[in-house]
Amino acid sequence: AQTVTQSQPEMSVQEAETVTLSCTYDTSESDYYLFWYKQPPSRQMILVIRQEAYKQQNATENRFSVNFQKAAKSFSLKISDSQLGDAAMYFCAPMDSNYQLIWGAGTKLIIKP
Amino acid sequence: DTGVSQNPRHKITKRGQNVTFRCDPISEHNRLYWYRQTLGQGPEFLTYFQNEAQLEKSRLLSDRFSAERPKGSFSTLEIQRTEQGDSAMYLCASRGQGGEKLFFGSGTQLSVL
């Protein structure tokens, strides 16, 4: 079975600083998508960023970027210039060949003002 | 495009009662997913529809759970004879044909007393 490991249950960062959330996964697929979702206290699940596994270039969305290491099956999320609104649970979720998301347990991100 | 809509936002019921939740996906999305999420955990897949056909059901979905999508548009999730262990957030998500991004609703928080 495919698994996702988010080894940091909780992370905290000073406002305006940079933080990296880690994620490793296990898959036998060769071509797949990977996602980071954030879930603020409202519990709305919001897509942060998407990576296609066949692309070597790391995805970037404004202050959010990923470090995708396919061979190592690692997919970390970097948040630059952290803002108070970034406080949330962050979930790493690779997608399998059936277009099913495999979810990690999440990392709680705390932003210190 | 108003996004994925879920009703009600909150439901409190007594053990043994039946409850029904509704999900309205993004209008042009033909794929619809139901997930269950307990606090501090990632979402757990329950079931998946492509148009009106229910293509996949998780082993988590006991006989007390039933989902429908009769016209390939909105979907309902019914839980019969609720148990305290059913208390959770029930999330609905939709995806368009040929797209890989899942868009989530705000969820229905169920509390079984």
Side-chain angles (χ1 to χ4, degrees), chain A residues 14-43:
Chain A
Q14 204 72 36
E15 193 176 3
E17 297 293 310
T18 296
V19 64
T20 299
L21 309 183
S22 66
C23 172
T24 58
Y25 58 94
D26 182 22
T27 182
S28 57
E29 310 284 350
S30 58
D31 190 15
Y32 48 94
Y33 294 95
L34 305 103
F35 300 86
W36 278 96
Y37 280 87
K38 68 181 277 190
Q39 190 177 40
S42 67
R43 308 277 315 260

Side-chain angles (χ1 to χ4, degrees), chain A residues 23-93:
Chain A
C23 172
T24 58
Y25 58 94
D26 182 22
T27 182
S28 57
E29 310 284 350
S30 58
D31 190 15
Y32 48 94
Y33 294 95
L34 305 103
F35 300 86
W36 278 96
Y37 280 87
K38 68 181 277 190
Q39 190 177 40
S42 67
R43 308 277 315 260
Q44 172 85 51
M45 195 70 78
I46 301 166
L47 176 63
V48 174
I49 197 165
R50 178 199 70 162
Q51 173 77 41
E52 297 168 75
Y54 68 87
K55 287 189 175 179
Q56 292 187 335
Q57 185 174 5
N58 289 322
T60 299
E61 289 286 343
N62 300 314
R63 298 182 296 107
F64 299 86
S65 61
V66 300
N67 183 3
F68 175 50
Q69 303 290 329
K70 188 174 183 179
K73 295 179 182 176
S74 171
F75 183 56
S76 62
L77 175 69
K78 186 171 82 170
I79 306 173
S80 304
D81 185 25
S82 299
Q83 300 176 0
L84 294 177
D86 295 334
M89 284 290 291
Y90 284 81
F91 292 96
C92 172

Side-chain angles (χ1 to χ4, degrees), chain A residues 86-106:
Chain A
D86 295 334
M89 284 290 291
Y90 284 81
F91 292 96
C92 172
M95 179 174 272
D96 68 16
S97 57
N98 292 321
Y99 288 89
Q100 290 288 5
L101 290 172
I102 312 300
W103 297 85

Side-chain angles (χ1 to χ4, degrees), chain B residues 15-86:
Chain B
R15 188 171 49 140
Q17 297 294 305
N18 299 344
V19 294
T20 300
F21 312 139
R22 177 178 169 125
C23 172
D24 288 86
I26 293 172
S27 58
E28 64 269 25
H29 285 186
N30 63 341
R31 290 160 168 82
L32 186 147
Y33 300 74
W34 284 100
Y35 292 87
R36 180 173 66 188
Q37 186 182 25
T38 53
L39 208 58
Q41 301 294 321
E44 298 171 302
F45 168 77
L46 292 179
T47 190
Y48 158 60
F49 289 86
Q50 182 172 314
N51 300 311
E52 66 275 8
Q54 188 173 19
L55 297 187
E56 191 171 347
K57 291 170 62 174
S58 166
R59 291 186 298 275
L60 293 172
L61 215 63
S62 75
D63 292 343
R64 298 185 297 105
F65 287 71
S66 63
E68 294 182 340
R69 195 183 183 198
K71 297 181 180 179
S73 56
F74 73 91
S75 176
T76 57
L77 178 68
E78 181 183 16
I79 308 174
Q80 296 181 327
R81 305 180 303 282
T82 52
E83 302 172 356
Q84 288 184 327
D86 296 331

